[in-house]
Amino acid sequence: MEVISGKELSAAMKKEMAEKVKKYAVEYGRVPNLVVVLLGEDPGSVSYVTGKTKAADEVGIKNSTITLSDKTTEEELLSLIHGLNEDKTVDGILVQLPLPKHIDENKVIETIAKDKDVDGFHPLNVAALWQKRPCILPCTPKGIIRLIKSKGIEISGKKAVVIGRSNIVGLPVAKLLLDENATVTITHSRTKNLAEVCAEADILVPALGKPKFVKKEMIKEGAVVIDVGVNRDPETGKLCGDVDFDECAPLTSYITKVPGGVGPMTIACLMENTIECYLHNVGAR
Ligand code: GUN
């Protein structure tokens, strides 16, 4: 068993990006610029946003966070986004989800200019992904494929099982695994015999958001397990994944940890996406 460290891989990615950004700054006269919009003070969201801005600083990406009250109206938020869309010095726009209930998340996502949509959530980016056209890839799925490939693990022909069917992770990671020629099963809360289905997976990607849900019976000997969950362990209060690491890890060939696995890769891929949007914006691509 080997732990794939997202912390190490993301650090290497950030170092490489920092060097590129320095060169781009000379070539194009400015650095990439990411604007993060945060509504309210949900501790999870605040912590994600802090992680993103810290990474941007490390890479040399200019960044700012617009923090608004959770009472902000949909109209106000949409008008802010329109302004950022028009602003030629802004390369990437990220509105931290989830949004307060009175705001239509879909409306917000489709208002962000598709070429500044560093999350890859805009319907045009999603459609492009499903038709294998050039697009901005969503960060977490992109990071998951990077983690697997970093160890030279063959994906082609493998049985991959994804647990969860969210727009942010489950669906797009299934599509990326399919594009790598895996045979993909998407499972969810209504799946019958979930444990048996998972136990057939060469590559298992739990993304359901339930602490330590995946137990050893669900792991095939030698499987690759990429844990997307970010949960609080109800017993210890500590951060934990969807996988019961201690009992599952010995059965696997490769596994990621929470924290230090998928999370830092998501952020590194967000930096990559910001640089991609910037290169497009300055006319380099
Ligand atoms: N909330 C949880 N994950 C994400 C993400 O990847 N992007 C945004 N914008 N919000 C999130």
Side-chain angles (χ1 to χ4, degrees):
M1 183 275 289
E2 188 184 332
V3 173
I4 316 178
S5 169
K7 200 173 162 187
E8 279 173 24
L9 184 56
S10 65
M13 285 172 67
K14 284 186 283 187
K15 191 160 169 259
E16 223 169 89
M17 285 188 275
E19 280 161 23
K20 281 190 186 160
V21 165
K22 270 189 207 152
K23 287 187 192 142
Y24 295 148
V26 176
E27 202 169 342
Y28 304 113
R30 65 174 184 84
V31 296
N33 182 14
L34 172 66
V35 177
V36 176
V37 181
L38 174 64
L39 265 69
E41 285 165 6
D42 169 65
S45 290
V46 172
S47 136
Y48 281 132
V49 166
T50 310
K52 289 165 187 174
T53 54
K54 183 171 163 274
D57 287 339
E58 281 171 49
V59 174
I61 293 174
K62 182 181 165 191
N63 64 90
S64 51
T65 305
I66 301 176
T67 307
L68 302 172
S69 146
D70 55 5
K71 304 280 188 302
T72 303
T73 65
E74 185 178 287
E75 200 185 350
E76 285 167 332
L77 179 58
L78 295 182
S79 141
L80 171 72
I81 295 170
H82 282 299
L84 295 170
N85 285 345
E86 296 296 313
D87 186 340
K88 287 199 163 32
T89 69
V90 173
D91 301 299
I93 304 167
L94 184 147
V95 178
Q96 184 64 32
L97 306 177
L99 289 167
K101 283 194 178 58
H102 64 277
I103 295 178
D104 181 348
E105 226 161 69
N106 284 336
K107 224 176 201 173
V108 170
I109 289 168
E110 68 196 33
T111 300
I112 296 171
K114 87 170 190 354
D115 294 332
K116 297 190 179 190
D117 169 36
V118 286
D119 268 323
F121 293 167
H122 191 286
L124 289 172
N125 280 316
V126 177
L129 165 67
W130 285 90
Q131 296 187 345
K132 248 186 172 177
R133 300 187 202 207
C135 65
I136 301 165
L137 293 176
C139 305
T140 302
K142 189 177 181 180
I144 290 168
I145 301 297
R146 286 284 168 79
L147 279 168
I148 298 172
K149 286 191 170 176
S150 74
K151 293 293 173 186
I153 297 160
E154 177 84 24
I155 301 176
S156 181
K158 296 284 175 63
K159 271 193 183 178
V161 173
V162 177
I163 315 178
R165 50 180 159 177
S166 71
N167 288 337
I168 296 184
V169 184
L171 293 179
V173 80
K175 171 61 173 147
L176 292 185
L177 287 162
L178 186 60
D179 287 349
E180 296 291 337
N181 301 310
T183 301
V184 184
T185 304
I186 304 174
T187 66
H188 46 78
S189 52
R190 309 283 173 89
T191 298
K192 295 216 164 73
N193 307 319
L194 178 64
E196 283 89 335
V197 176
C198 292
E200 290 191 350
D202 301 307
I203 299 170
L204 183 64
V205 183
L208 71 159
K210 289 199 172 155
K212 299 186 178 175
F213 177 85
V214 174
K215 301 292 182 189
K216 61 180 187 301
E217 298 74 33
M218 301 166 75
I219 308 286
K220 178 176 170 177
E221 182 99 39
V224 174
V225 178
I226 309 292
D227 189 351
V228 186
V230 181
N231 315 294
R232 288 273 160 209
D233 185 330
E235 282 162 26
T236 64
K238 283 190 189 159
L239 219 53
C240 75
D242 288 345
V243 178
D244 191 328
F245 183 89
D246 291 342
E247 70 167 63
C248 294
L251 291 167
T252 67
S253 57
Y254 292 94
I255 188 166
T256 61
K257 276 190 170 175
V258 179
V262 171
M265 290 301 291
T266 297
I267 293 179
C269 290
L270 173 67
M271 299 305 121
E272 261 190 14
N273 284 358
T274 305
I275 295 171
E276 265 180 48
C277 290
Y278 156 83
L279 288 172
H280 182 269
N281 198 17
V282 296
R285 293 210 179 133

PDB file of all heavy atoms in Angstrom, residues 48 52 94-98 119 121 140 168 266, ligand 1:
ATOM      1  N   TYR A  48     -12.209  27.183   2.891  1.00  0.00           N
ATOM      2  CA  TYR A  48     -11.870  26.884   1.490  1.00  0.00           C
ATOM      3  C   TYR A  48     -11.290  28.123   0.802  1.00  0.00           C
ATOM      4  O   TYR A  48     -10.302  28.053   0.100  1.00  0.00           O
ATOM      5  CB  TYR A  48     -13.117  26.459   0.695  1.00  0.00           C
ATOM      6  CG  TYR A  48     -13.560  25.034   0.907  1.00  0.00           C
ATOM      7  CD1 TYR A  48     -14.892  24.733   1.164  1.00  0.00           C
ATOM      8  CD2 TYR A  48     -12.665  23.975   0.804  1.00  0.00           C
ATOM      9  CE1 TYR A  48     -15.324  23.426   1.356  1.00  0.00           C
ATOM     10  CE2 TYR A  48     -13.089  22.671   0.991  1.00  0.00           C
ATOM     11  CZ  TYR A  48     -14.415  22.398   1.268  1.00  0.00           C
ATOM     12  OH  TYR A  48     -14.840  21.125   1.446  1.00  0.00           O
ATOM     13  N   LYS A  52      -7.647  28.878  -0.985  1.00  0.00           N
ATOM     14  CA  LYS A  52      -7.513  29.295  -2.386  1.00  0.00           C
ATOM     15  C   LYS A  52      -6.656  30.550  -2.509  1.00  0.00           C
ATOM     16  O   LYS A  52      -5.790  30.643  -3.385  1.00  0.00           O
ATOM     17  CB  LYS A  52      -8.904  29.544  -3.002  1.00  0.00           C
ATOM     18  CG  LYS A  52      -9.688  28.253  -3.235  1.00  0.00           C
ATOM     19  CD  LYS A  52     -11.171  28.504  -3.504  1.00  0.00           C
ATOM     20  CE  LYS A  52     -11.917  27.165  -3.546  1.00  0.00           C
ATOM     21  NZ  LYS A  52     -13.373  27.330  -3.669  1.00  0.00           N
ATOM     22  N   LEU A  94     -14.674  33.238  -9.206  1.00  0.00           N
ATOM     23  CA  LEU A  94     -15.141  32.070  -8.460  1.00  0.00           C
ATOM     24  C   LEU A  94     -16.131  32.519  -7.400  1.00  0.00           C
ATOM     25  O   LEU A  94     -15.798  33.335  -6.545  1.00  0.00           O
ATOM     26  CB  LEU A  94     -13.953  31.352  -7.803  1.00  0.00           C
ATOM     27  CG  LEU A  94     -14.268  30.052  -7.057  1.00  0.00           C
ATOM     28  CD1 LEU A  94     -13.120  29.086  -7.160  1.00  0.00           C
ATOM     29  CD2 LEU A  94     -14.628  30.295  -5.594  1.00  0.00           C
ATOM     30  N   VAL A  95     -17.358  32.051  -7.506  1.00  0.00           N
ATOM     31  CA  VAL A  95     -18.349  32.324  -6.467  1.00  0.00           C
ATOM     32  C   VAL A  95     -18.424  31.081  -5.593  1.00  0.00           C
ATOM     33  O   VAL A  95     -18.766  29.984  -6.076  1.00  0.00           O
ATOM     34  CB  VAL A  95     -19.736  32.652  -7.078  1.00  0.00           C
ATOM     35  CG1 VAL A  95     -20.756  32.891  -5.968  1.00  0.00           C
ATOM     36  CG2 VAL A  95     -19.652  33.878  -7.984  1.00  0.00           C
ATOM     37  N   GLN A  96     -18.053  31.234  -4.345  1.00  0.00           N
ATOM     38  CA  GLN A  96     -18.005  30.084  -3.451  1.00  0.00           C
ATOM     39  C   GLN A  96     -19.412  29.528  -3.210  1.00  0.00           C
ATOM     40  O   GLN A  96     -20.334  30.267  -2.892  1.00  0.00           O
ATOM     41  CB  GLN A  96     -17.337  30.490  -2.123  1.00  0.00           C
ATOM     42  CG  GLN A  96     -17.140  29.350  -1.139  1.00  0.00           C
ATOM     43  CD  GLN A  96     -16.195  28.267  -1.635  1.00  0.00           C
ATOM     44  OE1 GLN A  96     -15.250  28.534  -2.366  1.00  0.00           O
ATOM     45  NE2 GLN A  96     -16.459  27.026  -1.259  1.00  0.00           N
ATOM     46  N   LEU A  97     -19.566  28.227  -3.372  1.00  0.00           N
ATOM     47  CA  LEU A  97     -20.830  27.544  -3.123  1.00  0.00           C
ATOM     48  C   LEU A  97     -20.719  26.800  -1.788  1.00  0.00           C
ATOM     49  O   LEU A  97     -19.622  26.489  -1.370  1.00  0.00           O
ATOM     50  CB  LEU A  97     -21.112  26.555  -4.264  1.00  0.00           C
ATOM     51  CG  LEU A  97     -21.091  27.141  -5.687  1.00  0.00           C
ATOM     52  CD1 LEU A  97     -21.315  26.022  -6.707  1.00  0.00           C
ATOM     53  CD2 LEU A  97     -22.155  28.216  -5.839  1.00  0.00           C
ATOM     54  N   PRO A  98     -21.805  26.491  -1.121  1.00  0.00           N
ATOM     55  CA  PRO A  98     -23.185  26.802  -1.490  1.00  0.00           C
ATOM     56  C   PRO A  98     -23.533  28.261  -1.196  1.00  0.00           C
ATOM     57  O   PRO A  98     -22.902  28.903  -0.375  1.00  0.00           O
ATOM     58  CB  PRO A  98     -23.979  25.871  -0.561  1.00  0.00           C
ATOM     59  CG  PRO A  98     -23.106  25.652   0.626  1.00  0.00           C
ATOM     60  CD  PRO A  98     -21.690  25.745   0.127  1.00  0.00           C
ATOM     61  N   ASP A 119     -14.115  27.500 -12.198  1.00  0.00           N
ATOM     62  CA  ASP A 119     -14.650  26.271 -11.604  1.00  0.00           C
ATOM     63  C   ASP A 119     -15.062  25.244 -12.662  1.00  0.00           C
ATOM     64  O   ASP A 119     -15.239  24.069 -12.357  1.00  0.00           O
ATOM     65  CB  ASP A 119     -15.901  26.596 -10.773  1.00  0.00           C
ATOM     66  CG  ASP A 119     -15.599  26.880  -9.314  1.00  0.00           C
ATOM     67  OD1 ASP A 119     -14.701  26.218  -8.764  1.00  0.00           O
ATOM     68  OD2 ASP A 119     -16.272  27.752  -8.727  1.00  0.00           O
ATOM     69  N   PHE A 121     -18.014  25.259 -14.053  1.00  0.00           N
ATOM     70  CA  PHE A 121     -19.401  24.912 -13.717  1.00  0.00           C
ATOM     71  C   PHE A 121     -20.421  25.462 -14.717  1.00  0.00           C
ATOM     72  O   PHE A 121     -21.580  25.079 -14.695  1.00  0.00           O
ATOM     73  CB  PHE A 121     -19.776  25.457 -12.324  1.00  0.00           C
ATOM     74  CG  PHE A 121     -19.049  24.813 -11.172  1.00  0.00           C
ATOM     75  CD1 PHE A 121     -19.086  25.391  -9.907  1.00  0.00           C
ATOM     76  CD2 PHE A 121     -18.346  23.621 -11.333  1.00  0.00           C
ATOM     77  CE1 PHE A 121     -18.433  24.799  -8.824  1.00  0.00           C
ATOM     78  CE2 PHE A 121     -17.681  23.025 -10.251  1.00  0.00           C
ATOM     79  CZ  PHE A 121     -17.729  23.626  -9.000  1.00  0.00           C
ATOM     80  N   THR A 140     -11.858  19.625  -8.919  1.00  0.00           N
ATOM     81  CA  THR A 140     -11.692  18.386  -8.138  1.00  0.00           C
ATOM     82  C   THR A 140     -11.532  17.165  -9.047  1.00  0.00           C
ATOM     83  O   THR A 140     -10.578  16.391  -8.882  1.00  0.00           O
ATOM     84  CB  THR A 140     -12.861  18.211  -7.142  1.00  0.00           C
ATOM     85  OG1 THR A 140     -12.891  19.356  -6.285  1.00  0.00           O
ATOM     86  CG2 THR A 140     -12.692  16.961  -6.292  1.00  0.00           C
ATOM     87  N   ILE A 168     -20.569  18.752  -9.172  1.00  0.00           N
ATOM     88  CA  ILE A 168     -19.210  19.238  -8.901  1.00  0.00           C
ATOM     89  C   ILE A 168     -18.179  18.120  -8.994  1.00  0.00           C
ATOM     90  O   ILE A 168     -17.072  18.327  -9.475  1.00  0.00           O
ATOM     91  CB  ILE A 168     -19.139  19.927  -7.506  1.00  0.00           C
ATOM     92  CG1 ILE A 168     -20.033  21.173  -7.481  1.00  0.00           C
ATOM     93  CG2 ILE A 168     -17.713  20.290  -7.144  1.00  0.00           C
ATOM     94  CD1 ILE A 168     -19.959  21.983  -6.198  1.00  0.00           C
ATOM     95  N   THR A 266      -7.346  20.016  -5.685  1.00  0.00           N
ATOM     96  CA  THR A 266      -8.431  20.859  -6.193  1.00  0.00           C
ATOM     97  C   THR A 266      -7.935  22.299  -6.299  1.00  0.00           C
ATOM     98  O   THR A 266      -8.145  22.976  -7.319  1.00  0.00           O
ATOM     99  CB  THR A 266      -9.651  20.804  -5.238  1.00  0.00           C
ATOM    100  OG1 THR A 266     -10.146  19.469  -5.210  1.00  0.00           O
ATOM    101  CG2 THR A 266     -10.752  21.759  -5.673  1.00  0.00           C
TER     102      THR A 266
HETATM  103  N1  GUN B   1     -17.890  24.613  -2.751  1.00  0.00           N
HETATM  104  C1  GUN B   1     -17.394  23.368  -2.576  1.00  0.00           C
HETATM  105  N2  GUN B   1     -16.572  23.045  -3.585  1.00  0.00           N
HETATM  106  C2  GUN B   1     -16.534  24.115  -4.411  1.00  0.00           C
HETATM  107  C3  GUN B   1     -15.851  24.386  -5.627  1.00  0.00           C
HETATM  108  O1  GUN B   1     -15.103  23.572  -6.168  1.00  0.00           O
HETATM  109  N3  GUN B   1     -16.083  25.612  -6.163  1.00  0.00           N
HETATM  110  C4  GUN B   1     -16.917  26.510  -5.599  1.00  0.00           C
HETATM  111  N4  GUN B   1     -17.078  27.672  -6.217  1.00  0.00           N
HETATM  112  N5  GUN B   1     -17.566  26.282  -4.474  1.00  0.00           N
HETATM  113  C5  GUN B   1     -17.372  25.093  -3.892  1.00  0.00           C
END
